[in-house]
Amino acid sequence: MGRLTRAQTQERNRVRVLAAAREEFAERGFRHAKIDAIAERAELTRGAVYSNFPGKRALYFAVLADAAEHAPQPPHPEPGHTARDALAAFARAWMTRLPLATDPWYDSARLGMDLMPEILADERTRRPFAQLMRLNAILLGLALERLRPPREPARRMVRVAEAALTTLHGAGQLAAAAPGFVEPFNVVSACTQLAGLDLGDRWLTPSIVAPTRPADDPWSPPPATDMIHGGPVRLDGDGVVAVLGLHRLSAAEEAVRAEPPGAGVTAVIVTGDPGELAPLARLVVADLRSCLRQSFPPSAWPRLNVVCDETGSLAAAAGVPAVSDATETAVRVRASRIVARAEGFGACHAAAAVPPDMPSTRPEDASGRPGGTAADRWSP
């Protein structure tokens, strides 16, 4: 067998560290786990652990993300075909993952018990987590909206999704803090009733909309995986690609609401701290995806692709070479070209609202006359 390349060696070590860390965290909990003990379990040096993960919390987030992304799915899911039934199935799927009062204090079922304390401990994790929860509510709300009966008026259901996620997360925290207190059937019943509530949820056009700049740039994105559907995301079709930092994820809905029917929207998650915050993003979205896929038919999955761009390569292809948690840039893609871009607050709405007849910005149009004048005046 040939010698492993440096990249192959690093990947092998990463897998070994993740496996060893999962055992250590399950047995001892996050607070009492030691990097030296993880390195010993993995038969590697302490330096090898830190070469793959910047710290213990980053490693913990990565372990939880890996577990969520590879969690086994039930062989015969029973998705709901109405919003009420789907939300009930979603709540059941969520509650079945919670540890039981009879489980040992530390085992694989209680692996995530220290997640919320770690998120609460630092503003650097609280703000991204809040936006990740907003994104999850948007995704769940969009799925609920797609199960609307044909004759029922369209309505936004993101607030219903927020209320359901609030209930389920609260139940999860109580299940950990007060074993035996939470009655799963009551929680499922409460979430089911939420589907019929009118919470005054109406979508309003954003008050701040960034100016749109016409463009005519090549669009050659690298391969990417959709975190919701679990397969390659198609990026060569017409639509909007929104590059969003972890403080701006809720802006993805602006593109979805403004985009014409049939066009695609892809939210590209970026961060200034990919070592620690990218695994957190993967974890939160994977938790939702697991329950979503058990409870909603594929035809109702949200029409929003989500990609975690840990390396920044997809952002760079969209013309965003430097990213941060405050990034909000959106580009409109048409016929494998970027035809418009917007940056800052309201960029997602601006790029999605670009009219289909927006002129080219090439120096001359087909008749030889200067192009781009009307496009330069465009502002949604």
Side-chain angles (χ1 to χ4, degrees), residues 278-361:
L280 178 62
R282 288 170 41 218
L283 165 62
V284 175
V285 177
D287 271 345
L288 180 95
R289 180 188 71 183
S290 175
C291 296
L292 194 73
R293 298 183 71 171
Q294 294 179 54
S295 51
F296 286 78
S299 59
W301 291 355
R303 55 186 183 92
L304 172 62
N305 301 315
V306 181
V307 174
C308 187
D309 189 18
E310 297 186 51
T311 65
S313 58
L314 186 49
V320 190
V323 298
S324 73
D325 292 324
T327 295
E328 182 181 345
T329 297
V331 297
R332 184 61 181 262
V333 176
R334 190 176 295 141
S336 298
R337 308 286 296 183
I338 295 175
V339 298
R341 65 176 63 247
E343 300 172 355
F345 280 77
C348 291
H349 177 87
V354 168
D357 57 348
M358 182 173 182
S360 169
T361 61

Side-chain angles (χ1 to χ4, degrees), residues 41-80:
R41 286 177 185 265
E43 299 181 343
L44 295 168
T45 65
R46 179 185 178 91
V49 175
Y50 281 116
S51 69
N52 284 279
F53 302 94
K56 189 171 78 165
R57 186 167 66 184
L59 178 53
Y60 182 53
F61 290 165
V63 166
L64 294 178
D66 185 70
E69 290 170 341
H70 296 92
Q73 295 292 306
H76 303 292
E78 298 181 3

Side-chain angles (χ1 to χ4, degrees), residues 78-80 83-98 140 144 160-161 163-169 171-172 182-195 287-288 290-296:
E78 298 181 3
R84 180 186 175 90
D85 291 344
L87 197 52
F90 184 91
R92 284 195 298 271
W94 189 286
M95 295 302 293
T96 58
R97 304 180 309 182
L98 300 184
L140 179 56
L144 289 168
V160 166
L165 291 174
T166 299
T167 302
L168 293 170
H169 272 277
V182 175
E183 173 51 64
F185 295 104
N186 291 342
V187 175
V188 172
S189 179
C191 288
T192 304
Q193 300 304 315
L194 290 172
D287 271 345
L288 180 95
S290 175
C291 296
L292 194 73
R293 298 183 71 171
Q294 294 179 54
S295 51
F296 286 78

Side-chain angles (χ1 to χ4, degrees), residues 25 31 35 97-98 107 117 137 181 198 209 294 301 337 361:
F25 291 137
R31 292 185 180 180
I35 291 294
R97 304 180 309 182
L98 300 184
D107 68 356
F181 174 79
D198 184 356
V209 178
Q294 294 179 54
W301 291 355
R337 308 286 296 183
T361 61

Side-chain angles (χ1 to χ4, degrees), residues 56-281:
K56 189 171 78 165
R57 186 167 66 184
L59 178 53
Y60 182 53
F61 290 165
V63 166
L64 294 178
D66 185 70
E69 290 170 341
H70 296 92
Q73 295 292 306
H76 303 292
E78 298 181 3
H81 294 278
T82 66
R84 180 186 175 90
D85 291 344
L87 197 52
F90 184 91
R92 284 195 298 271
W94 189 286
M95 295 302 293
T96 58
R97 304 180 309 182
L98 300 184
L100 301 174
T102 54
D103 289 338
W105 181 248
Y106 281 118
D107 68 356
S108 58
R110 294 183 177 271
L111 189 63
M113 283 183 58
D114 295 309
L115 174 63
M116 289 309 298
E118 282 308 301
I119 290 173
L120 290 169
D122 193 342
E123 178 67 15
R124 290 176 56 255
T125 50
R126 283 200 302 271
R127 284 192 66 186
F129 183 74
Q131 282 291 301
L132 286 164
M133 288 303 303
R134 290 287 301 275
L135 177 63
N136 274 3
I138 292 166
L139 292 166
L140 179 56
L142 291 173
L144 289 168
E145 290 169 25
R146 300 194 72 181
L147 292 178
R148 175 180 57 87
R151 296 182 181 180
E152 183 177 298
R155 68 183 180 113
R156 184 175 183 256
M157 297 194 70
V158 174
R159 288 186 183 175
V160 166
E162 289 173 351
L165 291 174
T166 299
T167 302
L168 293 170
H169 272 277
Q173 290 303 297
L174 271 177
F181 174 79
V182 175
E183 173 51 64
F185 295 104
N186 291 342
V187 175
V188 172
S189 179
C191 288
T192 304
Q193 300 304 315
L194 290 172
L197 294 183
D198 184 356
L199 300 178
D201 195 357
R202 304 292 183 268
W203 175 255
L204 301 176
T205 301
S207 57
I208 301 176
V209 178
T212 307
R213 293 188 289 109
D216 183 31
D217 303 323
W219 172 238
S220 301
T225 299
D226 179 14
M227 299 170 71
I228 302 300
H229 297 81
V233 58
R234 182 181 175 184
L235 292 168
D236 56 351
D238 292 357
V240 172
V241 176
V243 182
L244 299 171
L246 283 173
H247 295 172
R248 296 294 304 139
L249 297 182
S250 59
E253 187 177 6
E254 298 178 12
V256 174
R257 301 298 181 185
E259 185 69 8
V265 177
T266 299
V268 180
I269 300 176
V270 295
T271 173
D273 185 5
E276 181 165 292
L277 296 182
L280 178 62

